[in-house]
Amino acid sequence: MTNQSDLFKYLLHLGDNALIHSYRLSELCSRGPFLEEDLALTNIALDQIGRASSFLKYAGEIEGKGRTEDDLAYKRGERQFYNHLITELPNGDFAYTIAKQLILSTYDVLLFTELSNSKDETIAGISSKVLKEVRYHFVHARDWCYRLGLGTELSHTKLQNAINEIWMFTGELFESDETYNDLYSKGIAVNTNSLKAKWLENITEVLTKSEINIPNVDYMQSGGKQGIHTEYLGHLLTEMQYLQRAYPNAKW
Amino acid sequence: MDTQLDLWEVFIQSKIGAHHVHAGSVHASDAQMALQNARDTYTRRNEGSSIWVVPSKFVVASTTNDAEMFFEPANDKIYRHPTFYVMPEGAKQI
């Protein structure tokens, strides 16, 4: 028998990654560098909202206390969020946003390839749909890395700086978590530690082609999976959850 | 200074076998970006199954000045429409 509270937390982790990442991307709505790219980034944000909604809805069902995906998105505090820290980082400049997209979409393609074979049918179903979306997110980010990396001296510098700054948030993506040992062994969840080598290979290929160096980083940030966050998440949630906090159960 | 990227014309095929129909244009710095921007701009509501993008600079257009010479001679030649045939009984189209 699977421990339902572990599965619940794992689903929150999957849902929160998409929800917080989506929120950051939607902040760029009407602020993209040009119209078409504005649409591209907000399309990606919409894909992620859909993903968050699916996983959080399922999380609510597993929990069995009648909470909907909206309850879980808008009525939890930051310590109950289990997203990776990288998703809550501010957008920075365009190169910074693209560097985050590359890191996360490369990871997502590998993760959802595995999860689409999950022994949990609902996770497998959601993941098969998500996989098609994240393949596009990867292509979008990859091609922008080529353009920025091989573009002007300024665009190259900005992308290299972004990769340098964000790299310490990549370690967390591949931490295995004892909480989920049971889910790993049953083939329901994926121990992402097994994805690290392939991820590094894939991302190195893109960055090398973009003439960007992979930085040497000794210290990796950690904590998101345990609900310990950067200062950014609290600020993000105050804005995202404002309406439900100020006018509980407001509908329109 | 023109800060816009190059202009590309976008043609969308709504379903396999149908014609590609002009949908509009996008800005992009290269062919892949043009395809992706066309996808994000014109197929978000399930409009497409295939996309063509063509640099706008390669489109050769007739001019307004030529309109008279180009198109008016066809005005009085209704016999060019196949409307004078009698449909054989039972045929749905000829």
Side-chain angles (χ1 to χ4, degrees):
Chain A
M1 183 64 194
T2 308
N3 185 327
Q4 295 297 87
S5 73
D6 292 345
L7 180 57
F8 173 62
K9 195 177 162 194
Y10 186 66
L11 292 167
L12 290 181
H13 168 66
L14 294 176
D16 291 346
N17 277 331
L19 179 65
I20 302 303
H21 188 187
S22 163
Y23 191 79
R24 280 295 182 222
L25 285 175
S26 51
E27 287 177 342
L28 294 170
C29 187
S30 83
R31 289 167 195 204
F34 58 106
L35 180 82
E36 291 86 343
E37 186 56 27
D38 196 294
L39 272 171
L41 290 171
T42 43
N43 273 349
I44 294 174
L46 276 174
D47 286 346
Q48 309 246 18
I49 279 274
R51 191 204 308 181
S53 170
S54 300
F55 281 124
L56 293 180
K57 179 165 184 266
Y58 185 40
E61 287 164 18
I62 290 296
E63 187 194 34
K65 292 181 183 167
R67 288 206 277 181
T68 66
E69 62 271 36
D70 286 336
D71 294 330
L72 290 168
Y74 296 115
K75 295 175 185 171
R76 276 181 298 150
E78 62 178 295
R79 291 296 289 269
Q80 284 109 43
F81 272 79
Y82 302 111
N83 56 284
H84 294 128
L85 300 176
I86 186 173
T87 61
E88 63 204 46
L89 298 178
N91 290 316
D93 60 20
F94 185 65
Y96 195 91
T97 298
I98 290 300
K100 271 200 293 182
Q101 287 303 117
L102 179 73
I103 288 165
L104 287 170
S105 62
T106 307
Y107 171 82
D108 280 346
V109 169
L110 296 173
L111 175 65
F112 289 104
T113 301
E114 294 296 316
L115 279 181
S116 53
N117 295 317
S118 169
K119 291 283 186 289
D120 182 300
E121 279 181 19
T122 309
I123 293 180
I126 298 169
S127 300
S128 307
K129 176 173 168 281
V130 166
L131 184 57
K132 292 177 196 157
E133 297 169 348
V134 297
R135 282 188 181 138
Y136 184 77
H137 302 171
F138 170 73
V139 166
H140 174 264
R142 178 197 67 193
D143 290 358
W144 267 115
C145 279
Y146 295 158
R147 289 180 201 115
L148 296 175
L150 305 175
T152 64
E153 199 181 324
L154 182 62
S155 69
H156 179 272
T157 306
K158 287 192 170 190
L159 183 59
Q160 182 68 63
N161 288 346
I163 289 288
N164 292 349
E165 280 181 45
I166 302 171
W167 204 256
M168 68 170 140
F169 292 95
T170 59
E172 188 187 24
L173 303 176
F174 307 102
E175 283 173 1
S176 47
D177 191 331
E178 289 173 12
T179 318
Y180 304 128
N181 276 345
D182 187 46
L183 295 179
Y184 296 152
S185 65
K186 287 189 171 126
I188 291 171
V190 171
N191 185 344
T192 52
N193 195 255
S194 65
L195 306 178
K196 187 174 182 179
K198 187 64 184 161
W199 175 84
L200 192 62
E201 184 189 323
N202 291 355
I203 206 161
T204 302
E205 192 184 324
V206 177
L207 291 178
T208 306
K209 228 174 136 180
S210 312
E211 295 179 5
I212 298 292
N213 299 317
I214 298 211
N216 282 319
V217 176
D218 297 329
Y219 178 73
M220 287 290 179
Q221 296 281 357
S222 176
K225 281 174 169 168
Q226 289 77 42
I228 314 291
H229 291 277
T230 67
E231 63 185 298
Y232 300 118
L233 184 66
H235 292 284
L236 184 155
L237 293 181
T238 51
E239 202 174 283
M240 187 178 86
Q241 298 179 334
Y242 166 78
L243 200 92
Q244 278 302 317
R245 300 286 191 190
Y247 305 96
N249 306 319
K251 284 187 171 41
W252 66 89
Chain B
M1 188 176 99
D2 184 8
T3 57
Q4 298 275 26
L5 302 175
D6 294 342
L7 201 60
W8 299 67
E9 298 303 317
V10 179
F11 300 84
I12 306 283
Q13 183 192 44
S14 57
K15 54 179 196 274
I16 310 265
H19 294 291
H20 284 71
V21 176
H22 187 240
S25 52
V26 291
H27 291 101
S29 62
D30 57 61
Q32 285 312 311
M33 192 198 288
L35 262 184
Q36 291 171 22
N37 286 348
R39 180 260 191 195
D40 286 325
T41 309
Y42 294 109
T43 66
R44 302 164 68 228
R45 299 178 185 86
N46 216 12
E47 295 96 331
S49 61
S50 163
I51 303 174
W52 290 347
V53 287
V54 181
S56 305
K57 65 184 176 195
F58 292 135
V59 172
V60 182
S62 66
T63 64
T64 330
N65 288 342
D66 289 339
E68 203 177 298
M69 147 181 111
F70 265 43
F71 308 116
E72 285 189 15
N75 280 353
D76 58 353
K77 298 183 176 66
I78 52 167
Y79 49 84
R80 286 181 181 166
H81 292 280
T83 51
F84 297 95
Y85 299 96
V86 179
M87 285 280 278
E89 207 173 325
K92 293 212 171 60
Q93 54 192 21
I94 52 174

